[in-house]
Amino acid sequence: MAETTRHLTVRIKRFDPETDSAPHWEEYQVEAEPWDRVLDVIQKVKWTIDDGLALRRSCAHGVCGSDAMRINGRNQLACKVLVKNLPDNTIRVEPILGLPVIKDLVVDMKPFFDHYKSVMPFLVNDEPPPTTERLQSIAARARFDDTTKCILCACCTTACPPFWGDRKYVGPAAIVNAHRFIFDSRDRAAAERLEILNDAEGVWRCRTVFNCTEVCPREIKVTQAISEVKRALLTGDVGEIDASAETAAAAS
Amino acid sequence: MNNYHRFDCVIVGAGGAGMMAALEASQRVGTAVVSKLYPTRSHTGAAQGGIAAALANLEDDSWENHAYDTIKGGDFLVDQTAAEILARDAVECIYQLEHWGLPFDRTPAGKISQRRFGGHTKPNPDYDPSAPPGSPNARPRVPVMRSCHSADRTGHMILQTLYQQCIKQGVTFFDEFHMTDLILVDGECRGIVALEIATGQLHVFHAKSVLLATGGFGRMFKVSSNAYALTGDGPAIAYQHGLPLEDMEFFQFHPTGIYRLGILLSEACRGDGGVMINDQGERFMERYAPNLKDLASRDVCSRSIYQEVRAGRGIGGKDYVYLDIRAETINRFGTSPTGKPVDHRWVESRLPDIIDFSRTYLGVDPIREPVPIQPTAHYAMGGLPTDIDGRVLRDETGAIVPGLYAAGESACVSVHGANRLGTNSLVDLVVFGRRSGRDMARYARDHDFKPLPPKPEAASHAKIRGFLERPRNYPWVKLRDRLQHVMMDDCGVYRTGEGLERARREVASLKEQYATLGVQDKGSVFNTGLLEVLEFGNLLDLAEATVASALARTESRGAHSREDFPDRDDSRFFAHSFAFRDGPDSVRLAYRDVDVIYIEKDGQRQPKYPLEIRKY
Ligand SMILES: Cc1cc2nc3c(=O)[nH]c(=O)nc-3n(C[C@H](O)[C@H](O)[C@H](O)COP(=O)(O)OP(=O)(O)OC[C@H]3O[C@@H](n4cnc5c(N)ncnc54)[C@H](O)[C@@H]3O)c2cc1C
Ligand code: FES
């Protein structure tokens, strides 16, 4: 890859609800260093050409989930794509699909968070807790590790064709977050969550397209998590009980 | 009026501190959380290495050890009652987080796993004062596994868990509302004003008590581990109203930021055995901190890197060194935390995100090669002065501002003194977030709503209108770049009177130009250019207070290192600084004694934590 400054043509889909009736493409010329992120490139446009360009960003290193956008036709976090890895000197940037555009690259995240909230994304356990921690074996903790990584960026849900077709579908991100609790040995509400996901707008909408897994910036095996939820629905089984921790506790 | 809201408690900020407080307050009284970011975007989510608590899950430990380390780590500028509360309550708070579902890593016995972190120690059971220097028994204290962790994304797990609990409890959020002003009447806080980012409208939040939990302000410096959003809005707005900022001269530079980008590589790298290496392949910390070496506190490590670079021992003579976490390096130096050799797979399981950052942003695979690093502006020890219940202090006498609270990185309790220990911020958020939430709810129960002044949003309105009406005569970004450069160069790891004077003049000149700025975008919806300009103004005010405090402190202590005054001077500066705005361009400083605990010993009243020269 070129390790020198690159001259980039940046095409950004713009929409200002106060002046535009429809989105349109604008083109900008920017110099970028190989180690720059696409986020840096977009901010260069904002800071040196048009400060009205709207986007969300905060952490700039792929952990806060603010800057999901479609870059060259693929959902990505702009802060995780490096200039040196771009295939050519033109980049196309547009908002993620399936959520209403508010302005430029900013979409309305409310429907996305509503789906997330609908799956009871919190630990439920009304048994009185011990005075110290609840025990959990290393294996039981590992059981749901992958789905704890989710940063709610919406890359997966807004890359999902069934979601584009039916905005009422809870979508992959919500299922990932349900998975995180369904398979946590400390949780007691798996059955309720499974019931929610058994709904017509639940897991069965998933057509295993795998887009979600391909775009997840946290490399969560999203499709696998969804399949595990489907399997739990079919078998009623959420996996082994936390036997090893109990033995360990008895021994200590 | 649609844009008028009334809640007993209003919490500004939805990071760890804000949500912890919200979970407490909302159980008791009507509570709203106002945040410019969606809660899960807050920078608490970026915290990597862990959260300290003396659970003693893997080895002996006690909260007393933790309190001592905190006080020493802060170079004795720590308020000792607060430090003891931090260390004691930490244990209970960790269990509470676990009961809420936080997925900590586990020990083989199923308990919360813990790892080593810089400056966290316990007395060496084999200590022998007559042992030859450098031998293991010559060390009075040894590293302890105290940092509770969830791989290297502990902050992410804390933020998610708190948000999940807020959903469960039905906490009310105003997401993407940007606070622009505090409503202070007769020295009391009665609410806030916030801009709804999606519409550009101003909203008034009438409250009995307000908590500011707006996080840090590392964006004042060029190279920083902090998010773009970390612009210190809470402390800056309070300062604009004449309230003091405490200990602003103490800003922590973390030694291991990714070269040029400043993205953090957690101290957990060194806790798990990684070492820093110079151009000659030396583990240079052996020279600067013979006992704790790479696990000395952060200010010590950052200065050591600068010394190496100045001596021409940066990599290739440049301004960076290496962080080496390869298994073979850990084994060669015998730095594995368990004492047993480690392999690549173990390293990868402990530090997955860090390894990913390095691969993504540098194209360097830490499993195979060392990683280029340099100090990065990381943490504000200073901020809004508070008492142990989060109540904001009006001045150095300790008088409070009724109804106003602060917690988290934007507050200065002070438990971090002149230098914060790793993993102690997350504990600070939960311990003092919780205490603040309880006390602000108590205050709200005991008091009635007091009337608001007419048009409390008028000042915000005028300020915003100014930026929108003036033409964009100058790219404001260039001014922000200048601020970040001068702060990095002249108010960074090393400081001198001359450099600080230069910084002071530059900040004053930037403030003058700031007043003439206009933004290009004149719209209302998601005018993020306008928001950035507002944030930049806040950074300028905080920089002004930082530089003035640093100029006045003619000693070196913790993170504040004056080359022209290299020693700690307890006779003059064993005290917290309070910076007040005094007219448009001048800062007034006052000092408040450090809170010291005394005990009876041998029939005499003695300090419980006697001052010592900090050596690692
Ligand atoms: C990369 C990194 C790694 C770290 N690792 C660790 C670690 O391992 N252990 C540890 O103890 N500490 C660590 N720290 C420090 C610690 O993470 C932070 O100090 C802490 O998370 C700050 O939390 P907070 O709640 O005060 O603020 P934040 O989490 O930063 O939240 C600030 C909140 O305020 C809101 N806000 C700000 N301004 C406004 C406004 N004007 N109007 C409305 N809302 C506003 C934001 O939306 C946000 O919700 C790390 C820090 C960084 C940067
Ligand atoms: S800005 Fe946080 S994920 Fe990209």
Side-chain angles (χ1 to χ4, degrees):
Chain A
M1 287 302 152
E3 280 295 323
T4 50
T5 306
R6 284 175 84 168
H7 183 93
L8 298 178
T9 300
V10 189
R11 302 194 68 220
I12 303 180
K13 200 176 202 175
R14 303 288 308 263
F15 172 69
D16 183 345
E18 295 174 270
T19 54
D20 303 336
S21 52
H24 61 280
W25 290 90
E26 294 272 357
E27 205 172 282
Y28 307 93
Q29 309 297 323
V30 176
E31 301 287 323
E33 301 300 332
W35 59 81
D36 277 341
R37 299 156 274 212
V38 167
L39 176 64
D40 300 314
V41 173
I42 299 170
Q43 300 215 94
K44 264 182 209 176
V45 173
K46 180 176 178 64
W47 292 337
T48 60
I49 306 174
D50 181 358
D51 72 17
L53 174 61
L55 71 150
R56 291 191 181 98
R57 87 284 179 269
S58 189
C59 73
H61 65 285
V63 297
C64 78
S66 295
D67 59 344
M69 42 189 94
R70 248 166 104 82
I71 299 167
N72 291 336
R74 182 166 185 259
N75 282 3
Q76 308 183 66
L77 299 173
C79 65
K80 275 200 101 171
V81 186
L82 291 203
V83 165
K84 69 173 173 203
N85 297 332
L86 292 172
D88 55 54
N89 288 342
T90 303
I91 344 177
R92 229 159 18 95
V93 185
E94 58 195 306
I96 44 179
L97 303 178
L99 294 170
V101 175
I102 298 178
K103 181 179 176 187
D104 298 335
L105 301 169
V106 175
V107 298
D108 181 2
M109 294 292 288
K110 186 169 182 300
F112 174 81
F113 276 102
D114 285 346
H115 284 315
Y116 162 75
K117 289 174 194 164
S118 75
V119 300
M120 305 171 63
F122 38 77
L123 190 93
V124 178
N125 185 335
D126 295 331
E127 298 153 19
T131 51
T132 62
E133 66 269 62
R134 290 194 167 102
L135 297 179
Q136 185 168 52
S137 70
I138 291 173
R141 165 65 181 79
R143 180 71 189 84
F144 62 101
D145 186 61
D146 201 37
T147 45
T148 63
K149 295 179 194 159
C150 177
I151 55 174
L152 299 167
C153 66
C155 275
C156 60
T157 296
T158 62
C160 169
F163 177 75
W164 296 335
D166 172 10
R167 311 273 170 94
K168 289 207 212 97
Y169 167 38
V170 291
I175 303 172
V176 159
N177 282 280
H179 178 284
R180 180 250 170 273
F181 291 101
I182 291 170
F183 294 95
D184 185 334
S185 59
R186 300 167 298 171
D187 184 77
R188 297 290 175 267
E192 269 171 87
R193 267 184 223 101
L194 287 170
E195 196 49 47
I196 294 168
L197 292 174
N198 203 14
D199 181 85
E201 302 293 354
V203 281
W204 307 114
R205 280 265 179 267
C206 166
R207 292 277 167 267
T208 27
V209 186
F210 278 100
N211 278 9
C212 49
T213 304
E214 273 163 30
V215 299
C216 176
R218 304 287 296 152
E219 290 170 19
I220 299 170
K221 295 176 203 74
V222 182
T223 316
Q224 184 181 320
I226 297 175
S227 307
E228 287 175 6
V229 172
K230 287 179 181 168
R231 204 175 318 127
L233 269 169
L234 293 173
T235 63
D237 182 10
V238 294
E240 71 276 42
I241 45 156
D242 197 3
S244 44
E246 282 158 28
T247 2
S252 70
Chain B
M1 187 165 98
N2 268 345
N3 296 354
Y4 170 83
H5 314 269
R6 206 163 102 140
F7 292 91
D8 293 308
C9 293
V10 167
I11 292 169
V12 187
M19 289 204 282
M20 193 74 194
L23 285 168
E24 287 296 327
S26 67
Q27 288 175 23
R28 300 170 168 87
V29 294
T31 302
V33 180
V34 173
S35 173
K36 68 180 177 184
L37 302 174
Y38 268 100
T40 58
R41 315 289 185 225
S42 304
H43 212 52
T44 293
Q48 301 167 352
I51 173 164
L55 306 184
N57 278 357
L58 287 161
E59 55 180 318
D60 275 348
D61 197 8
S62 67
W63 71 261
E64 288 91 344
N65 287 341
H66 186 187
Y68 168 79
D69 288 338
T70 301
I71 292 167
K72 176 179 172 192
D75 218 349
F76 294 90
L77 198 69
V78 171
D79 286 332
Q80 298 179 0
T81 310
E84 290 200 341
I85 291 174
L86 178 92
R88 213 179 308 133
D89 286 10
V91 176
E92 188 186 314
C93 281
I94 296 293
Y95 293 140
Q96 181 172 32
L97 289 170
E98 197 283 330
H99 297 158
W100 280 339
L102 199 142
F104 285 110
D105 287 352
R106 299 290 167 158
T107 68
K111 296 179 174 182
I112 295 170
S113 177
Q114 298 185 278
R115 62 156 56 114
R116 291 177 179 177
F117 239 80
H120 290 281
T121 65
K122 62 176 183 181
N124 182 357
D126 305 320
Y127 177 53
D128 172 4
S130 61
S135 69
N137 296 358
R139 306 193 291 176
R141 298 183 77 88
V142 287
V144 68
M145 289 186 256
R146 183 180 295 149
S147 164
C148 309
H149 59 91
S150 188
D152 52 359
R153 47 177 181 277
T154 314
H156 165 76
M157 301 299 198
I158 291 179
L159 190 69
Q160 296 286 329
T161 301
L162 293 177
Y163 187 54
Q164 291 155 4
Q165 288 300 308
C166 284
I167 294 173
K168 190 175 180 192
Q169 261 191 43
V171 172
T172 307
F173 283 95
F174 289 83
D175 295 332
E176 303 197 314
F177 276 64
H178 184 116
M179 172 179 66
T180 52
D181 208 357
L182 271 175
I183 306 173
L184 290 165
V185 186
D186 300 336
E188 289 182 4
C189 184
R190 298 193 185 164
I192 67 156
V193 180
L195 179 85
E196 182 179 10
I197 300 175
T199 63
Q201 294 194 11
L202 288 171
H203 291 242
V204 170
F205 291 83
H206 190 180
K208 295 176 182 171
S209 49
V210 168
L211 173 76
L212 299 178
T214 60
F217 34 87
R219 281 283 151 183
M220 169 194 305
F221 299 94
K222 180 162 185 316
V223 177
S224 175
S225 65
N226 283 195
Y228 283 110
L230 292 179
T231 52
D233 303 350
I237 290 170
Y239 176 72
Q240 289 151 12
H241 279 278
L243 295 178
L245 297 176
E246 181 177 354
D247 289 344
M248 291 298 281
E249 61 272 45
F250 299 102
F251 203 96
Q252 179 171 82
F253 284 75
H254 193 294
T256 59
I258 288 186
Y259 182 50
R260 276 196 297 243
L261 289 171
I263 296 170
L264 192 77
L265 301 179
S266 168
E267 199 167 292
C269 296
R270 284 168 287 136
D272 283 350
V275 295
M276 297 192 291
I277 301 285
N278 67 14
D279 195 47
Q280 290 157 12
E282 291 169 320
R283 184 186 181 194
F284 55 84
M285 285 310 295
E286 289 179 340
R287 254 200 308 280
Y288 301 97
N291 288 326
L292 289 189
K293 304 187 176 91
D294 291 87
L295 287 177
S297 70
R298 291 175 178 173
D299 54 332
V300 175
C301 293
S302 288
R303 282 195 291 273
S304 306
I305 295 174
Y306 266 64
Q307 294 290 351
E308 289 298 299
V309 166
R310 280 183 184 178
R313 292 191 292 268
I315 307 303
K318 295 218 194 109
D319 56 344
Y320 65 92
V321 295
Y322 281 142
L323 172 65
D324 195 339
I325 60 168
R326 290 176 295 183
E328 58 265 32
T329 306
I330 297 175
N331 295 337
R332 177 154 57 93
F333 286 105
T335 44
S336 144
T338 56
K340 292 185 209 121
V342 298
D343 60 14
H344 296 331
R345 221 165 302 144
W346 182 83
V347 175
E348 209 146 359
S349 74
R350 302 276 288 192
L351 302 163
D353 280 9
I354 306 261
I355 289 168
D356 180 56
F357 295 149
S358 176
R359 286 178 182 152
T360 305
Y361 296 106
L362 288 168
V364 169
D365 185 351
I367 293 294
R368 292 195 185 78
E369 312 160 71
V371 188
I373 49 121
Q374 70 182 168
T376 181
H378 184 58
Y379 184 85
M381 269 75 72
L384 289 158
T386 71
D387 69 5
I388 54 172
D389 289 311
R391 299 186 294 178
V392 169
L393 307 188
R394 159 182 318 290
D395 57 36
E396 71 282 8
T397 67
I400 59 154
V401 182
L404 187 61
Y405 291 76
E409 193 171 335
S410 59
C412 179
V413 179
S414 139
V415 285
H416 309 304
N419 171 65
R420 169 174 75 81
L421 290 186
T423 68
N424 258 359
S425 170
L426 294 175
V427 206
D428 174 9
L429 309 182
V430 293
V431 168
F432 291 98
R434 188 167 82 150
R435 291 181 72 96
S436 308
R438 284 180 187 164
D439 203 69
M440 76 188 295
R442 178 199 58 76
Y443 182 88
R445 269 202 189 145
D446 293 349
H447 292 81
D448 288 326
F449 282 100
K450 303 245 177 79
L452 292 181
K455 294 215 173 299
E457 75 284 11
S460 295
H461 196 250
K463 188 171 181 182
I464 290 168
R465 205 176 45 210
F467 290 119
L468 294 180
E469 284 178 356
R470 284 188 293 270
R472 178 177 178 265
N473 48 7
Y474 191 81
W476 46 263
V477 160
K478 291 202 178 154
L479 301 185
R480 191 175 61 192
D481 283 350
R482 271 170 57 193
L483 174 72
Q484 291 170 337
H485 269 108
V486 77
M487 290 302 286
M488 194 79 193
D489 294 346
D490 288 325
C491 196
V493 170
Y494 279 111
R495 298 158 176 186
T496 62
E498 196 188 335
L500 289 168
E501 208 28 74
R502 195 161 43 233
R504 195 187 59 75
R505 283 193 306 270
E506 177 78 339
V507 172
S509 125
L510 289 169
K511 278 182 62 185
E512 232 167 79
Q513 292 181 61
Y514 181 76
T516 68
L517 287 181
V519 292
Q520 222 171 328
D521 183 3
K522 310 298 182 193
S524 311
V525 178
F526 260 88
N527 190 336
T528 51
L530 171 69
L531 295 177
E532 281 192 56
V533 169
L534 292 173
E535 292 172 333
F536 169 44
N538 292 335
L539 289 177
L540 273 175
D541 285 334
L542 297 178
E544 171 186 270
T546 302
V547 172
S549 308
L551 257 173
R553 188 175 284 272
T554 47
E555 65 154 358
S556 289
R557 179 187 300 268
H560 172 67
S561 188
R562 288 281 301 251
E563 290 186 274
D564 40 357
F565 297 93
D567 297 321
R568 195 173 83 190
D569 181 355
D570 290 321
S571 65
R572 294 174 60 215
F573 288 111
F574 182 46
H576 301 288
S577 66
F578 275 51
F580 299 80
R581 163 157 290 175
D582 191 23
D585 285 322
S586 71
V587 181
R588 179 172 67 82
L589 287 163
Y591 291 87
R592 175 174 165 81
D593 284 344
V594 173
D595 168 48
V596 172
I597 300 176
Y598 287 92
I599 48 168
E600 274 315 307
K601 203 172 160 192
D602 310 328
Q604 275 184 336
R605 202 172 106 97
Q606 301 183 356
K608 183 168 176 190
Y609 302 94
L611 286 171
E612 47 180 293
I613 295 300
R614 200 169 55 128
K615 276 209 215 98
Y616 284 106

